[in-house]
Amino acid sequence: MALVAIVGRPNVGKSTLFNRLTKSRRAIVSEEAGTTRDRQYGKCEWNGKEFSVVDTGGWVVNSDDVFEEQIRKQVLVATEEADLVLFLVDVQNGVTDWDEDVAVILRRSKLPVILVANKVDNNSQLYDSYEFYKLGLGDPMCISSATGSGTGDLLDLVLERLSNVKDESDVEEGIPRFAVVGRPNAGKSSIINAFIGEDRHIVTEIAGTTRDSIYTRYDKFGFDFYLVDTAGIRRKNKVTEDLEFYSVMRSIRAIENSDVCILMIDATRGIESQDMNIFQLIQKNNKSLVVVVNKWDLVEDKSQVVIKTFENAIRERMAPFTDFPIIFASALTKQRIFKVLETAKEVYLNRKLKIGTTKLNEVMLPLIEATPPPSIKGKYIKIKYCSQLPNTQIPSFVFYANLPQYVKEAYRRFLENKIRENWTLTGSPINVFIRQK
C-alpha cells in the first residue's frame, strides 16, 4: 500500500488535514507523557483506492527550541520512506524561512511532492497562494483542511501521483509473510541474519509494494515463507536511529505487507513506548503477533520467576489482547531462533482456523445461556445462533441477537475469550460481530 506523508511546520493544519483524510475526529497531538502516538497513522480511501497517511507533526513534542531540528529530521525521514509528500504551507502567514529550507530538501529528493496551501477560506486568499511559487515545487493546491474545501481535488491529484506505485508485489499467494519489526537496536538485523545464515539456500529478493519493502523467500529446514524486510536492514539510513518517528514509519511498510509480525523487544531495556506504538500498528492492521524478547543471553538472572515477571509485564501493557506467544531468545547466540520460526508458522495456521457452525453452537450457546448479556432498561438480550464468517482475513464470528445494539464491548470480549479458551487462536486477532437475528 502506498504511503503518503504530511510535512510542514507547526500550526499549518497538518493534524486537521490528517483527520479529514482518515475520517477521524479525535485530537492528534497529546502532550501527556506515555500517550501512545499511533494516532498519526491512518488509512484514506478515495474513489475505491486506499493508501496510508502519516502526520509527521504528531511526533514533535514540547518546546519551540527543538522544533526546527526535529521537524527537519522528520522531513528527511518522509523523503526516505514515503511514496508521496504533501508539503503543507499556511496562506495566512506566507513563505517563512523554514518553508524555504524544507523546499530545498524536497527539491533534492526525487520524490513526488504536492505543495498544499492551507487555510484558503475565501476566494481573495487564492491570490495570496501565488507567493508559494518561489518555493520551486510547482502549482500550490489551495485547500482549507478545516472546512474541507478543495480536499476532493487534492485527493484526485494524490491518486494521480500514486498511479505508478504498485499495490501488490509479484509474490506467490498462500505462502506466509513474516515481518520482523521493533524499535532501533532491538536486534532486527541480527535475527534476520540468524534466520538466513551463511547457507542462503534460497532466496529470491523481490522488490515489493514500495521502494523499501523486500520479500525474501526462505525455504529450508521444512519452512517456506517470505520474510518481509525493510530497507533499514539493508542500507544505513541518513537519519538519527533513535528518532521514534523513524522506527514507527519504517515499521508501517513491513506490517502492512505481512501476515505475522515478529515484534522484537530488547531484554536489557524492557518494554518501552516505541514498542507499544509498533504493537498498536500491528493491532490496527489486524496482523498476527509473536513477541520475541531478544538479547536474553545478556540477562544474568534467567529464573522462572524473572521470566514470569517479564511475561506478565508485557501482557499487562498490551491488554486487552493477551493471547500471543512470548519467546525469550538471543539472535547473537542463536538461542531459540528455530523456536521463533516454528511459533510464527503455528500462529499463521491459527489465523486460518475454520470452525464448523454446528460445533461452534454446541460449545458457545450453553456458555451464553449460563452467562447471558446483562439486561438493559428491563430488556433481555437473547443470542440464539452463531457462526464463523467465510473468506475473512482473520477469524471472524457473528452472533445473532434480538437486541444487538445493547450488547456492550465487555460482553463482546467475554465471547472472544470463550472462543479462545475452546479453540487454539493464539497470536491471531479475531473479530466478534453482534447482528440482528
Side-chain angles (χ1 to χ4, degrees):
M1 191 180 293
L3 184 61
V4 174
I6 304 172
V7 304
R9 58 186 172 74
N11 303 319
V12 291
K14 295 187 298 298
S15 300
T16 313
L17 179 61
F18 173 87
N19 279 344
R20 189 163 288 283
L21 295 184
T22 56
K23 296 181 180 171
S24 145
R25 289 198 181 129
R26 55 199 172 199
I28 296 299
V29 181
S30 169
E31 300 298 342
E32 288 177 37
T35 307
T36 57
R37 298 184 190 151
D38 69 303
R39 296 178 198 158
Q40 289 82 4
Y41 160 75
K43 289 184 180 168
C44 174
E45 190 179 335
W46 183 252
N47 287 344
K49 298 282 176 65
E50 197 176 47
F51 57 88
S52 300
V53 186
V54 177
D55 166 19
T56 61
W59 275 271
V60 177
V61 291
N62 298 330
S63 79
D64 290 339
D65 303 335
V66 298
F67 264 152
E68 286 204 16
E69 184 54 31
Q70 286 290 324
I71 299 168
R72 190 174 171 280
K73 282 182 184 176
Q74 291 177 15
V75 172
L76 285 169
V77 172
T79 58
E80 279 208 342
E81 300 304 313
D83 297 298
L84 173 69
V85 169
L86 300 182
F87 178 25
L88 221 59
V89 290
D90 182 347
V91 160
Q92 293 172 10
N93 286 344
V95 177
T96 66
D97 292 346
W98 189 85
D99 291 330
E100 290 182 340
D101 290 345
V102 173
V104 170
I105 297 171
L106 294 176
R107 285 200 305 270
R108 282 178 187 156
S109 77
K110 293 181 181 172
L111 198 64
V113 177
I114 298 176
L115 178 63
V116 183
N118 192 27
K119 304 185 183 178
V120 179
D121 297 320
N122 55 60
N123 287 339
S124 64
Q125 288 177 312
L126 287 170
Y127 301 107
D128 298 334
S129 70
Y130 296 158
E131 182 186 357
F132 294 103
Y133 277 103
K134 71 191 287 189
L135 296 176
L137 292 168
D139 299 335
M141 167 67 72
C142 295
I143 69 159
S144 169
S145 56
T147 64
S149 169
T151 50
D153 292 338
L154 173 62
L155 283 166
D156 287 341
L157 185 58
V158 167
L159 291 189
E160 185 186 314
R161 297 284 176 89
L162 292 176
S163 58
N164 295 329
V165 178
K166 293 180 185 175
D167 282 337
E168 282 301 327
S169 117
D170 186 22
V171 295
E172 285 182 45
E173 289 299 317
I175 296 177
R177 302 176 189 183
F178 300 160
V180 178
V181 294
R183 54 182 168 72
N185 306 319
K188 299 188 296 295
S189 308
S190 305
I191 204 165
I192 286 171
N193 289 339
F195 286 159
I196 295 172
E198 303 74 32
D199 177 23
R200 302 190 67 171
H201 204 348
I202 30 195
V203 247
T204 4
E205 290 180 357
I206 303 165
T209 348
T210 66
R211 22 195 206 120
D212 294 320
S213 290
I214 302 286
Y215 291 96
T216 302
R217 181 79 173 267
Y218 182 104
D219 57 354
K220 55 183 177 179
F221 307 126
F223 292 105
D224 189 7
F225 61 86
Y226 285 109
L227 204 55
V228 184
D229 193 357
T230 59
I233 291 152
R234 302 184 183 279
R235 64 177 163 82
K236 188 158 179 61
N237 58 290
K238 301 170 192 145
V239 183
T240 318
E241 264 291 315
D242 61 0
L243 187 64
E244 177 178 5
F245 170 71
Y246 181 84
S247 66
V248 173
M249 195 159 177
R250 182 133 282 183
S251 299
I252 289 170
R253 297 283 192 205
I255 290 167
E256 287 185 343
N257 294 333
S258 69
D259 297 306
V260 179
C261 293
I262 298 168
L263 174 59
M264 304 290 291
I265 292 175
D266 187 335
T268 62
R269 294 176 66 174
I271 188 162
E272 298 183 331
S273 63
Q274 274 179 276
D275 300 314
M276 287 306 299
N277 286 331
I278 293 167
F279 170 71
Q280 301 274 1
L281 286 172
I282 293 167
Q283 274 211 308
K284 188 174 275 190
N285 282 281
N286 282 329
K287 303 303 180 182
S288 298
L289 173 67
V290 175
V291 172
V292 176
V293 181
N294 190 32
K295 306 185 186 178
W296 195 238
D297 54 310
L298 301 180
V299 176
E300 289 179 17
D301 185 357
K302 298 182 175 69
S303 66
Q304 283 302 313
V305 175
V306 171
I307 289 172
K308 201 70 192 163
T309 305
F310 217 122
E311 279 191 357
N312 290 341
I314 292 170
R315 293 191 199 282
E316 197 175 301
R317 287 290 299 275
M318 295 184 177
F321 180 46
T322 57
D323 186 17
F324 53 83
I326 300 174
I327 300 165
F328 294 84
S330 167
L332 192 66
T333 65
K334 300 195 176 179
Q335 179 188 16
R336 298 194 190 93
I337 291 298
F338 202 70
K339 178 75 173 168
V340 173
L341 293 181
E342 281 182 333
T343 307
K345 187 178 177 181
E346 285 168 13
V347 163
Y348 174 76
L349 293 174
N350 292 345
R351 187 183 178 86
K352 301 292 179 187
L353 182 70
K354 297 284 182 271
I355 304 169
T357 303
T358 307
K359 186 67 181 170
L360 188 66
N361 281 274
E362 274 176 13
V363 173
M364 293 302 294
L365 292 184
L367 293 170
I368 291 166
E369 204 171 322
T371 314
S375 60
I376 291 181
K377 300 175 185 172
K379 294 181 178 178
Y380 292 94
I381 302 155
K382 291 177 182 173
I383 296 173
K384 292 288 186 186
Y385 177 74
C386 56
S387 66
Q388 183 176 358
L389 295 172
N391 306 321
T392 52
Q393 193 184 31
I394 60 172
S396 301
F397 303 89
V398 59
F399 290 80
Y400 293 94
N402 58 336
L403 298 164
Q405 68 273 28
Y406 292 135
V407 178
K408 301 294 183 189
E409 184 58 37
Y411 195 78
R412 209 184 297 261
R413 202 165 291 144
F414 163 78
L415 294 173
E416 178 180 333
N417 290 340
K418 291 301 174 189
I419 292 169
R420 290 187 184 278
E421 281 174 23
N422 287 280
W423 290 277
T424 306
L425 285 159
T426 305
S428 175
I430 69 173
N431 285 326
V432 173
F433 302 107
I434 314 291
R435 290 186 184 161
Q436 187 77 41
K437 70 174 182 183

